[in-house]
Amino acid sequence: MCRVVDLRQAVLAKNDGAARALRDGLAARGTTVVNLLSSPGSGKTALLERELLLARERSVPVAALTADLATENDARRLARSGVPVKQVLTDGLCHLEAGMLARHLDGWLPEDTRLLFVENVGNLVCPASYDLGESLRVVLASVTEGEDKPLKYPTAFGLAQLVVVTKTDIAQAVAFDEAAFRAHVERVNPGVEIVMTSAREGQGLGLLLDRALAAGAGSGTHTPVMARGQQTPRHEAGHAHGDGHLHGHGNGHLHGHEGDPGSGHHHHQHGAGPAHTHGHTHGRTPDSDPGSGADHEHQPAAQTR
Ligand SMILES: Nc1nc2c(ncn2[C@@H]2O[C@H](COP(=O)(O)OP(=O)(O)OP(=O)(O)O)[C@@H](O)[C@H]2O)c(=O)[nH]1
Ligand SMILES: [Mg+2]
């Protein structure tokens, strides 16, 4: 088991190194990465479609890369906005990794890109552990998913710097309890901003773009209390062990298991209330080297920049 934990830790440490290099390299040329995570169908592409159009209207140079196991549907939808869009097919891998992203950006990402939106593979488990060199990590949750999801997926929600609720136009029909959702987010990620949006009706439109620009300017980005699995805990109460375990001390307990049968990952995490994390990560061999993955570019109908 220890060997397996070590291996997973090594993969994540390698990813963190690649993510740091990517973040530094992109920052040097003025590009900010926004990493969008959610379960399948939460509305990542729908919201992005609107935000990309808005960016184009405001003459903000943006680009989008979207990752899926199969189909180029999302890239086709996003390309309608007229901004540069690329589809990455992950060939069975349930998340993007930093090195993989760097390879896909190489030679494609326009030099003057100010914001790069990355739509991660739709799931709340494995993408949560992989830093993509982003300056803003966004987790989306639609009103139809249930208010308890922040508690069930504490890593995804705990590490987000912005929480976006989607499909508010149908909130009433599904009796979405906003107060309960907010309380659950607050438990795993105290202080993180939660915004309400509807890609269909336009509520909250522009917020994602504004927060992304602010993150690029280095202002107002929330720092989650929870530490990323293999990184030095951000919170002073936590301390990291070489065995891949994170421990912290505080009040209240929360236990969660996250597994993704498709990925070969088993992620076991114990987290605690706001002031505190106590996390263990166990895993089988991570599905790392993702290979190159297929790579498709979608040229906008009209080049805007
Ligand atoms: N009512 C309503 N439906 C929405 C909204 N946004 C998205 N949808 C619908 O939700 C479904 C999924 O939306 P997508 O944008 O494809 O979701 P996604 O998160 O990109 O999905 P994956 O890429 O497969 O993970 C589609 O049928 C959308 O039309 C919204 O604001 N309101
Ligand atoms: Mg999508």
Side-chain angles (χ1 to χ4, degrees), residues 133-224:
E134 70 265 20
S135 298
L136 184 66
R137 181 181 287 205
V138 182
V139 66
L140 298 87
S142 68
V143 295
T144 61
E145 290 169 42
E147 298 81 4
D148 61 343
K149 293 308 170 287
L151 302 179
K152 287 188 172 182
Y153 301 96
T155 307
F157 283 88
L159 291 174
Q161 291 159 305
L162 176 68
V163 177
V164 175
V165 175
T166 60
K167 312 190 192 182
T168 56
D169 54 289
I170 53 170
Q172 265 197 332
V174 297
F176 177 66
D177 185 344
E178 184 182 335
F181 180 82
R182 285 184 178 273
H184 294 155
V185 170
E186 185 66 19
R187 269 176 69 185
V188 296
N189 195 345
V192 69
E193 187 184 11
I194 303 168
V195 299
M196 310 299 287
T197 69
S198 165
R200 185 152 298 173
E201 293 187 350
Q203 186 188 1
L205 197 65
L207 282 169
L208 182 60
L209 188 59
D210 290 345
R211 298 304 180 273
L213 289 169
S219 63
T221 309
H222 167 76
T223 303

Coordinates of all heavy atoms in Angstrom, one line a residue, residues 133-224:
G133 N -2.0 24.7 -13.4 CA -1.3 26.0 -13.6 C -2.3 27.1 -13.6 O -2.0 28.2 -14.1
E134 N -3.5 26.8 -13.1 CA -4.5 27.9 -13.1 C -4.3 28.9 -12.1 O -3.7 28.7 -11.0 CB -5.9 27.3 -13.0 CG -6.2 26.7 -11.6 CD -6.0 25.2 -11.5 OE1 -5.2 24.7 -12.3 OE2 -6.5 24.6 -10.5
S135 N -4.8 30.1 -12.4 CA -4.9 31.2 -11.3 C -6.2 31.3 -10.7 O -6.4 32.0 -9.7 CB -4.5 32.5 -12.0 OG -3.2 32.4 -12.5
L136 N -7.2 30.6 -11.4 CA -8.6 30.6 -10.8 C -9.1 29.2 -11.0 O -9.3 28.8 -12.2 CB -9.5 31.7 -11.5 CG -10.9 31.8 -10.9 CD1 -10.9 32.3 -9.5 CD2 -11.7 32.7 -11.8
R137 N -9.5 28.6 -9.9 CA -10.2 27.3 -10.1 C -11.7 27.5 -9.7 O -12.0 28.0 -8.6 CB -9.6 26.2 -9.1 CG -10.3 24.9 -9.3 CD -9.8 23.8 -8.4 NE -8.5 23.4 -8.8 CZ -8.0 22.2 -8.6 NH1 -8.7 21.3 -7.9 NH2 -6.8 21.8 -9.0
V138 N -12.5 27.1 -10.6 CA -13.9 27.3 -10.5 C -14.6 25.9 -10.4 O -14.4 25.0 -11.3 CB -14.5 28.0 -11.7 CG1 -16.0 28.3 -11.5 CG2 -13.7 29.3 -11.9
V139 N -15.5 25.7 -9.5 CA -16.3 24.5 -9.5 C -17.7 24.9 -9.7 O -18.2 25.9 -9.2 CB -16.1 23.7 -8.2 CG1 -16.7 24.4 -6.9 CG2 -16.8 22.3 -8.3
L140 N -18.4 24.2 -10.6 CA -19.8 24.6 -11.0 C -20.7 23.4 -10.4 O -20.3 22.3 -10.4 CB -20.0 24.7 -12.5 CG -19.2 25.7 -13.2 CD1 -17.8 25.2 -13.6 CD2 -19.9 26.2 -14.5
A141 N -21.9 23.8 -10.0 CA -22.9 22.9 -9.6 C -24.2 23.4 -10.0 O -24.6 24.5 -9.8 CB -22.8 22.7 -8.1
S142 N -25.0 22.5 -10.7 CA -26.3 22.9 -11.1 C -27.3 22.7 -10.0 O -27.1 21.9 -9.1 CB -26.7 22.2 -12.4 OG -26.9 20.9 -12.2
V143 N -28.4 23.4 -10.1 CA -29.4 23.3 -9.1 C -30.1 22.0 -9.0 O -30.7 21.6 -8.0 CB -30.5 24.4 -9.3 CG1 -29.9 25.8 -9.1 CG2 -31.2 24.3 -10.6
T144 N -29.9 21.2 -10.1 CA -30.5 19.8 -10.1 C -29.7 18.8 -9.4 O -30.1 17.6 -9.2 CB -30.7 19.4 -11.5 OG1 -29.4 19.3 -12.2 CG2 -31.6 20.3 -12.3
E145 N -28.5 19.1 -9.0 CA -27.6 18.0 -8.5 C -27.7 17.7 -7.0 O -27.2 16.7 -6.5 CB -26.1 18.4 -8.8 CG -25.8 18.4 -10.2 CD -24.4 19.0 -10.5 OE1 -23.5 18.8 -9.8 OE2 -24.4 19.8 -11.6
G146 N -28.4 18.6 -6.3 CA -28.6 18.3 -4.8 C -27.6 19.2 -4.0 O -26.5 19.3 -4.4
E147 N -28.1 19.7 -2.9 CA -27.4 20.6 -2.1 C -26.2 20.0 -1.3 O -25.4 20.7 -0.8 CB -28.3 21.3 -1.1 CG -29.5 22.1 -1.7 CD -30.7 21.2 -2.1 OE1 -30.6 20.0 -1.9 OE2 -31.6 21.8 -2.7
D148 N -26.2 18.7 -1.3 CA -25.2 18.0 -0.5 C -23.9 17.7 -1.2 O -22.9 17.3 -0.6 CB -25.7 16.6 0.0 CG -26.1 15.7 -1.1 OD1 -26.3 16.2 -2.3 OD2 -26.2 14.5 -0.8
K149 N -23.8 18.1 -2.5 CA -22.6 17.8 -3.3 C -21.3 18.4 -2.7 O -20.3 17.7 -2.8 CB -22.8 18.1 -4.7 CG -23.9 17.3 -5.4 CD -23.6 15.8 -5.2 CE -24.8 14.9 -5.7 NZ -26.0 15.0 -4.8
P150 N -21.3 19.6 -2.2 CA -20.1 20.0 -1.6 C -19.5 19.1 -0.5 O -18.3 19.0 -0.3 CB -20.5 21.4 -1.0 CG -21.6 21.8 -1.8 CD -22.4 20.6 -2.2
L151 N -20.4 18.5 0.3 CA -20.0 17.6 1.3 C -19.5 16.3 0.8 O -18.6 15.7 1.3 CB -21.2 17.4 2.3 CG -21.7 18.6 3.0 CD1 -22.9 18.2 3.9 CD2 -20.7 19.4 3.8
K152 N -20.1 15.8 -0.3 CA -19.7 14.6 -0.9 C -18.4 14.7 -1.7 O -17.8 13.7 -1.9 CB -20.8 14.1 -1.8 CG -22.1 13.6 -1.1 CD -23.0 12.9 -2.1 CE -24.2 12.2 -1.3 NZ -25.1 11.5 -2.3
Y153 N -18.2 15.8 -2.2 CA -16.9 16.0 -3.0 C -16.1 17.2 -2.4 O -16.0 18.2 -3.0 CB -17.3 16.3 -4.5 CG -18.1 15.2 -5.1 CD1 -19.5 15.2 -5.1 CD2 -17.5 14.1 -5.6 CE1 -20.2 14.2 -5.6 CE2 -18.2 13.0 -6.1 CZ -19.6 13.1 -6.1 OH -20.3 12.0 -6.6
P154 N -15.6 16.9 -1.2 CA -14.9 18.0 -0.5 C -13.7 18.5 -1.1 O -13.3 19.7 -1.0 CB -14.7 17.4 0.9 CG -14.7 16.0 0.7 CD -15.7 15.7 -0.4
T155 N -13.0 17.7 -1.9 CA -11.8 18.2 -2.6 C -12.1 19.1 -3.7 O -11.6 20.2 -3.8 CB -11.0 17.0 -3.1 OG1 -10.8 16.0 -2.1 CG2 -9.6 17.4 -3.6
A156 N -13.1 18.7 -4.5 CA -13.5 19.6 -5.6 C -14.0 21.0 -5.1 O -13.6 22.0 -5.6 CB -14.5 18.9 -6.5
F157 N -14.8 20.9 -4.1 CA -15.4 22.2 -3.6 C -14.4 22.9 -2.7 O -14.4 24.1 -2.6 CB -16.8 21.9 -2.9 CG -17.9 21.7 -3.9 CD1 -18.1 20.4 -4.4 CD2 -18.6 22.8 -4.3 CE1 -19.2 20.2 -5.3 CE2 -19.6 22.6 -5.3 CZ -19.9 21.3 -5.8
G158 N -13.6 22.1 -2.0 CA -12.7 22.7 -1.0 C -11.6 23.4 -1.6 O -11.0 24.3 -0.9
L159 N -11.2 23.1 -2.8 CA -10.1 23.8 -3.4 C -10.5 24.8 -4.4 O -9.6 25.5 -5.0 CB -9.2 22.7 -4.1 CG -8.4 21.8 -3.2 CD1 -7.7 20.7 -4.0 CD2 -7.4 22.5 -2.3
A160 N -11.8 25.0 -4.6 CA -12.2 26.0 -5.5 C -12.0 27.5 -5.0 O -12.1 27.7 -3.8 CB -13.7 25.8 -5.8
Q161 N -11.7 28.3 -6.0 CA -11.6 29.7 -5.6 C -12.9 30.5 -6.0 O -13.0 31.7 -5.7 CB -10.4 30.3 -6.3 CG -9.1 29.7 -5.7 CD -7.9 29.8 -6.6 OE1 -7.9 29.4 -7.8 NE2 -6.9 30.4 -6.1
L162 N -13.8 29.8 -6.7 CA -15.1 30.4 -7.0 C -16.0 29.3 -7.2 O -15.7 28.3 -7.8 CB -14.9 31.2 -8.3 CG -16.2 31.9 -8.8 CD1 -16.8 33.0 -7.9 CD2 -16.0 32.4 -10.2
V163 N -17.2 29.4 -6.6 CA -18.2 28.4 -6.8 C -19.4 29.0 -7.6 O -19.9 30.0 -7.3 CB -18.8 27.9 -5.4 CG1 -19.9 26.8 -5.7 CG2 -17.7 27.3 -4.6
V164 N -19.7 28.3 -8.7 CA -20.8 28.8 -9.6 C -22.0 27.9 -9.6 O -21.8 26.7 -9.9 CB -20.2 29.0 -11.1 CG1 -21.4 29.4 -12.0 CG2 -19.1 30.0 -11.1
V165 N -23.1 28.4 -9.1 CA -24.3 27.6 -9.2 C -24.9 27.9 -10.6 O -25.0 29.1 -11.0 CB -25.3 28.0 -8.1 CG1 -26.6 27.3 -8.3 CG2 -24.7 27.7 -6.7
T166 N -25.3 26.9 -11.3 CA -25.8 27.0 -12.7 C -27.3 26.6 -12.8 O -27.8 26.0 -11.8 CB -25.0 26.2 -13.7 OG1 -25.2 24.8 -13.3 CG2 -23.6 26.5 -13.7
K167 N -27.9 27.0 -13.8 CA -29.3 26.7 -14.1 C -30.3 27.2 -13.1 O -31.3 26.5 -12.8 CB -29.5 25.2 -14.3 CG -28.5 24.5 -15.2 CD -28.8 23.1 -15.5 CE -27.6 22.3 -16.2 NZ -27.9 21.0 -16.5
T168 N -30.1 28.4 -12.6 CA -31.0 29.0 -11.6 C -32.4 29.2 -12.2 O -33.3 29.3 -11.4 CB -30.5 30.3 -11.1 OG1 -30.3 31.2 -12.2 CG2 -29.2 30.1 -10.3
D169 N -32.5 29.2 -13.5 CA -33.8 29.4 -14.1 C -34.8 28.2 -13.7 O -36.0 28.4 -13.8 CB -33.7 29.6 -15.6 CG -33.0 28.5 -16.3 OD1 -31.7 28.4 -16.1 OD2 -33.5 27.6 -17.0
I170 N -34.2 27.1 -13.4 CA -35.1 25.9 -13.0 C -35.0 25.6 -11.5 O -35.4 24.5 -11.1 CB -34.8 24.7 -13.9 CG1 -33.3 24.3 -13.9 CG2 -35.3 24.9 -15.3 CD1 -33.0 23.0 -14.5
A171 N -34.4 26.5 -10.8 CA -34.2 26.3 -9.3 C -35.5 25.9 -8.6 O -35.6 25.0 -7.8 CB -33.5 27.4 -8.7
Q172 N -36.6 26.7 -9.0 CA -37.9 26.5 -8.3 C -38.4 25.1 -8.6 O -39.0 24.5 -7.7 CB -38.8 27.6 -8.7 CG -38.8 28.8 -7.7 CD -40.0 29.6 -7.9 OE1 -40.6 29.7 -9.1 NE2 -40.5 30.3 -6.9
A173 N -38.3 24.8 -9.9 CA -38.9 23.5 -10.3 C -38.3 22.3 -9.5 O -39.0 21.3 -9.3 CB -38.7 23.3 -11.8
V174 N -37.1 22.4 -9.1 CA -36.4 21.3 -8.4 C -36.2 21.6 -6.9 O -35.5 20.9 -6.2 CB -35.0 21.0 -9.1 CG1 -35.2 20.5 -10.5 CG2 -34.1 22.1 -9.0
A175 N -36.9 22.7 -6.5 CA -36.9 23.1 -5.1 C -35.4 23.2 -4.5 O -35.1 22.7 -3.5 CB -37.7 22.1 -4.2
F176 N -34.6 23.8 -5.3 CA -33.2 24.0 -4.9 C -33.1 24.9 -3.6 O -33.7 25.9 -3.5 CB -32.4 24.7 -6.0 CG -31.0 25.0 -5.6 CD1 -30.1 24.0 -5.4 CD2 -30.5 26.4 -5.5 CE1 -28.7 24.3 -5.1 CE2 -29.2 26.6 -5.2 CZ -28.3 25.6 -5.0
D177 N -32.5 24.4 -2.6 CA -32.4 25.1 -1.3 C -31.0 25.8 -1.3 O -30.0 25.2 -0.9 CB -32.5 24.0 -0.2 CG -32.5 24.7 1.2 OD1 -32.1 25.8 1.3 OD2 -32.9 24.0 2.2
E178 N -31.1 27.0 -1.7 CA -29.8 27.8 -1.8 C -29.1 28.0 -0.5 O -27.9 27.9 -0.4 CB -30.1 29.2 -2.4 CG -28.8 30.0 -2.6 CD -29.1 31.4 -3.2 OE1 -30.1 31.6 -3.9 OE2 -28.2 32.2 -3.0
A179 N -29.9 28.2 0.6 CA -29.2 28.4 1.9 C -28.5 27.1 2.4 O -27.4 27.2 2.9 CB -30.3 28.8 2.9
A180 N -29.1 26.0 2.1 CA -28.4 24.7 2.5 C -27.2 24.5 1.7 O -26.1 24.1 2.2 CB -29.4 23.5 2.3
F181 N -27.3 24.8 0.4 CA -26.1 24.6 -0.5 C -25.0 25.6 0.0 O -23.8 25.1 0.2 CB -26.4 25.0 -1.9 CG -25.3 24.8 -2.9 CD1 -24.9 23.6 -3.4 CD2 -24.6 26.0 -3.3 CE1 -23.8 23.5 -4.2 CE2 -23.5 25.9 -4.1 CZ -23.1 24.6 -4.6
R182 N -25.3 26.8 0.3 CA -24.3 27.8 0.8 C -23.7 27.3 2.1 O -22.4 27.4 2.3 CB -24.9 29.2 0.9 CG -25.2 29.9 -0.4 CD -25.7 31.3 -0.1 NE -25.9 32.0 -1.4 CZ -24.9 32.6 -2.1 NH1 -23.7 32.7 -1.5 NH2 -25.2 33.2 -3.2
A183 N -24.5 26.8 3.0 CA -24.0 26.3 4.2 C -23.0 25.1 4.0 O -21.9 25.0 4.7 CB -25.1 25.9 5.1
H184 N -23.3 24.3 3.1 CA -22.4 23.1 2.8 C -21.1 23.5 2.2 O -20.0 23.0 2.5 CB -23.2 22.1 1.9 CG -24.3 21.5 2.6 ND1 -25.4 20.9 2.0 CD2 -24.6 21.3 4.0 CE1 -26.3 20.5 2.8 NE2 -25.8 20.7 4.0
V185 N -21.2 24.5 1.3 CA -20.0 25.0 0.7 C -19.1 25.6 1.8 O -17.9 25.4 1.9 CB -20.2 26.0 -0.4 CG1 -19.0 26.7 -0.8 CG2 -20.9 25.4 -1.6
E186 N -19.7 26.4 2.6 CA -19.0 27.1 3.7 C -18.3 26.1 4.6 O -17.2 26.4 5.1 CB -20.0 28.0 4.5 CG -19.4 28.9 5.6 CD -18.5 30.0 5.0 OE1 -18.6 30.3 3.8 OE2 -17.7 30.5 5.8
R187 N -18.9 24.9 4.8 CA -18.2 24.0 5.7 C -16.9 23.4 5.1 O -16.0 23.2 5.8 CB -19.2 22.8 6.0 CG -20.0 23.0 7.2 CD -21.0 21.9 7.5 NE -20.4 20.7 7.8 CZ -21.1 19.5 8.0 NH1 -22.4 19.6 7.8 NH2 -20.5 18.4 8.3
V188 N -16.9 23.2 3.8 CA -15.7 22.7 3.2 C -14.7 23.8 2.7 O -13.6 23.5 2.4 CB -16.0 21.7 2.1 CG1 -16.7 20.5 2.6 CG2 -16.7 22.3 0.9
N189 N -15.3 25.0 2.5 CA -14.4 26.0 1.9 C -14.9 27.4 2.4 O -15.5 28.2 1.7 CB -14.5 26.0 0.4 CG -13.5 26.8 -0.3 OD1 -12.8 27.6 0.3 ND2 -13.3 26.5 -1.6
P190 N -14.6 27.7 3.7 CA -15.1 28.9 4.3 C -14.6 30.2 3.5 O -13.4 30.3 3.2 CB -14.5 28.9 5.7 CG -13.5 27.8 5.8 CD -13.8 26.8 4.6
G191 N -15.6 31.0 3.3 CA -15.2 32.3 2.7 C -15.2 32.3 1.2 O -15.1 33.4 0.6
V192 N -15.3 31.2 0.5 CA -15.3 31.2 -1.0 C -16.6 31.9 -1.5 O -17.6 31.7 -1.0 CB -15.1 29.8 -1.5 CG1 -16.4 28.9 -1.3 CG2 -14.8 29.8 -3.0
E193 N -16.4 32.6 -2.6 CA -17.5 33.3 -3.2 C -18.4 32.3 -4.0 O -17.9 31.4 -4.7 CB -17.0 34.4 -4.2 CG -18.2 35.2 -4.7 CD -17.8 36.3 -5.7 OE1 -16.6 36.2 -6.2 OE2 -18.6 37.1 -6.1
I194 N -19.7 32.4 -3.8 CA -20.7 31.6 -4.5 C -21.5 32.5 -5.4 O -22.1 33.5 -4.9 CB -21.6 30.8 -3.5 CG1 -20.7 30.0 -2.6 CG2 -22.6 30.0 -4.3 CD1 -21.5 29.4 -1.4
V195 N -21.6 32.3 -6.7 CA -22.4 33.1 -7.6 C -23.5 32.3 -8.2 O -23.3 31.1 -8.5 CB -21.5 33.9 -8.6 CG1 -20.5 34.8 -7.9 CG2 -20.8 32.9 -9.5
M196 N -24.6 32.9 -8.5 CA -25.8 32.3 -9.1 C -25.8 32.6 -10.5 O -25.8 33.8 -10.9 CB -27.0 32.7 -8.4 CG -27.0 32.7 -6.8 SD -26.7 31.0 -6.2 CE -28.3 30.3 -6.5
T197 N -26.0 31.6 -11.4 CA -26.0 31.9 -12.8 C -27.1 31.1 -13.6 O -27.4 30.0 -13.1 CB -24.6 31.6 -13.5 OG1 -24.4 30.2 -13.5 CG2 -23.5 32.3 -12.8
S198 N -27.5 31.6 -14.7 CA -28.3 30.9 -15.6 C -27.8 31.2 -17.0 O -27.9 32.4 -17.5 CB -29.8 31.3 -15.5 OG -30.5 30.8 -16.6
A199 N -27.2 30.3 -17.7 CA -26.7 30.5 -19.0 C -27.9 30.7 -19.9 O -27.9 31.4 -20.9 CB -25.9 29.3 -19.5
R200 N -29.0 30.1 -19.6 CA -30.2 30.2 -20.4 C -30.8 31.6 -20.3 O -31.2 32.2 -21.3 CB -31.3 29.1 -20.0 CG -32.5 29.1 -20.8 CD -33.1 27.7 -20.9 NE -32.2 26.7 -21.4 CZ -32.5 25.4 -21.4 NH1 -33.6 25.0 -20.9 NH2 -31.6 24.6 -21.9
E201 N -31.0 32.1 -19.1 CA -31.7 33.4 -18.9 C -30.7 34.6 -18.7 O -31.2 35.7 -18.6 CB -32.7 33.3 -17.8 CG -33.8 32.4 -18.2 CD -35.0 32.3 -17.3 OE1 -34.9 32.9 -16.2 OE2 -36.0 31.7 -17.6
G202 N -29.4 34.3 -18.5 CA -28.5 35.4 -18.4 C -28.2 35.8 -17.0 O -27.4 36.8 -16.8
Q203 N -28.8 35.2 -16.0 CA -28.4 35.6 -14.6 C -26.9 35.4 -14.3 O -26.4 34.4 -14.7 CB -29.2 34.9 -13.5 CG -29.0 35.4 -12.1 CD -29.6 34.6 -11.0 OE1 -30.2 33.6 -11.3 NE2 -29.4 35.0 -9.8
G204 N -26.3 36.4 -13.7 CA -24.9 36.3 -13.4 C -23.9 36.3 -14.5 O -22.7 36.0 -14.4
L205 N -24.4 36.6 -15.7 CA -23.6 36.6 -16.9 C -22.5 37.7 -16.7 O -22.8 38.8 -16.3 CB -24.4 36.9 -18.1 CG -23.7 36.5 -19.4 CD1 -23.5 35.0 -19.5 CD2 -24.6 37.0 -20.6
G206 N -21.2 37.3 -17.0 CA -20.1 38.3 -16.9 C -19.4 38.1 -15.6 O -18.2 38.6 -15.5
L207 N -19.9 37.5 -14.6 CA -19.2 37.3 -13.4 C -18.0 36.5 -13.5 O -16.9 36.8 -13.0 CB -20.1 36.7 -12.3 CG -21.2 37.6 -11.7 CD1 -22.2 36.8 -10.9 CD2 -20.5 38.6 -10.8
L208 N -18.1 35.4 -14.3 CA -16.9 34.5 -14.5 C -15.8 35.3 -15.2 O -14.6 35.2 -14.8 CB -17.4 33.3 -15.4 CG -16.3 32.2 -15.6 CD1 -15.7 31.7 -14.3 CD2 -16.8 31.1 -16.5
L209 N -16.2 36.0 -16.2 CA -15.2 36.8 -16.9 C -14.5 37.9 -16.0 O -13.3 38.0 -16.0 CB -15.9 37.5 -18.1 CG -15.0 38.3 -19.1 CD1 -14.0 37.4 -19.7 CD2 -15.8 39.0 -20.2
D210 N -15.3 38.5 -15.2 CA -14.8 39.5 -14.3 C -13.9 38.9 -13.2 O -12.8 39.4 -13.0 CB -15.9 40.2 -13.5 CG -16.8 41.1 -14.4 OD1 -16.3 41.4 -15.5 OD2 -17.9 41.5 -14.0
R211 N -14.3 37.8 -12.7 CA -13.4 37.1 -11.7 C -12.1 36.6 -12.3 O -11.1 36.6 -11.7 CB -14.1 36.0 -11.0 CG -15.4 36.3 -10.2 CD -15.1 37.4 -9.2 NE -16.4 37.7 -8.4 CZ -17.3 38.7 -8.8 NH1 -17.0 39.4 -9.9 NH2 -18.3 38.9 -8.1
A212 N -12.2 36.1 -13.5 CA -11.0 35.6 -14.2 C -10.0 36.8 -14.5 O -8.8 36.7 -14.3 CB -11.4 35.0 -15.6
L213 N -10.6 37.9 -14.9 CA -9.7 39.1 -15.1 C -9.1 39.6 -13.8 O -7.9 39.9 -13.8 CB -10.5 40.2 -15.8 CG -10.9 40.0 -17.3 CD1 -11.9 41.0 -17.7 CD2 -9.7 40.0 -18.2
A214 N -9.9 39.5 -12.8 CA -9.3 39.9 -11.4 C -8.2 39.0 -11.0 O -7.2 39.4 -10.5 CB -10.5 40.0 -10.4
A215 N -8.4 37.7 -11.2 CA -7.4 36.7 -10.8 C -6.1 37.0 -11.6 O -5.0 36.9 -11.1 CB -7.9 35.3 -11.1
G216 N -6.3 37.3 -12.9 CA -5.1 37.6 -13.7 C -4.4 38.9 -13.2 O -3.1 39.0 -13.4
A217 N -5.1 39.8 -12.7 CA -4.5 41.0 -12.1 C -4.0 40.8 -10.7 O -3.5 41.7 -10.1 CB -5.6 42.1 -12.2
G218 N -4.1 39.6 -10.2 CA -3.6 39.2 -8.9 C -4.4 39.8 -7.8 O -3.9 39.9 -6.7
S219 N -5.7 40.1 -8.1 CA -6.5 40.7 -7.0 C -7.7 39.9 -6.6 O -8.3 39.3 -7.5 CB -6.9 42.1 -7.4 OG -7.8 42.0 -8.5
G220 N -7.9 39.8 -5.3 CA -9.2 39.3 -4.9 C -9.4 37.8 -5.0 O -10.5 37.3 -4.9
T221 N -8.3 37.0 -5.3 CA -8.5 35.6 -5.4 C -8.5 34.9 -4.0 O -7.6 35.1 -3.2 CB -7.4 35.0 -6.3 OG1 -7.3 35.7 -7.5 CG2 -7.7 33.5 -6.6
H222 N -9.6 34.2 -3.8 CA -9.8 33.5 -2.5 C -8.7 32.4 -2.4 O -8.4 31.7 -3.3 CB -11.2 32.8 -2.6 CG -11.4 31.8 -1.5 ND1 -11.7 32.2 -0.2 CD2 -11.5 30.5 -1.6 CE1 -11.9 31.1 0.5 NE2 -11.8 30.0 -0.3
T223 N -8.2 32.2 -1.2 CA -7.2 31.2 -0.9 C -7.9 30.1 0.0 O -8.3 30.4 1.2 CB -6.0 31.7 -0.1 OG1 -5.4 32.7 -0.9 CG2 -5.0 30.6 0.1
P224 N -8.2 28.9 -0.5 CA -8.9 27.9 0.3 C -8.1 27.5 1.5 O -6.9 27.5 1.4 CB -9.1 26.8 -0.7 CG -8.9 27.3 -2.1 CD -7.9 28.5 -1.9

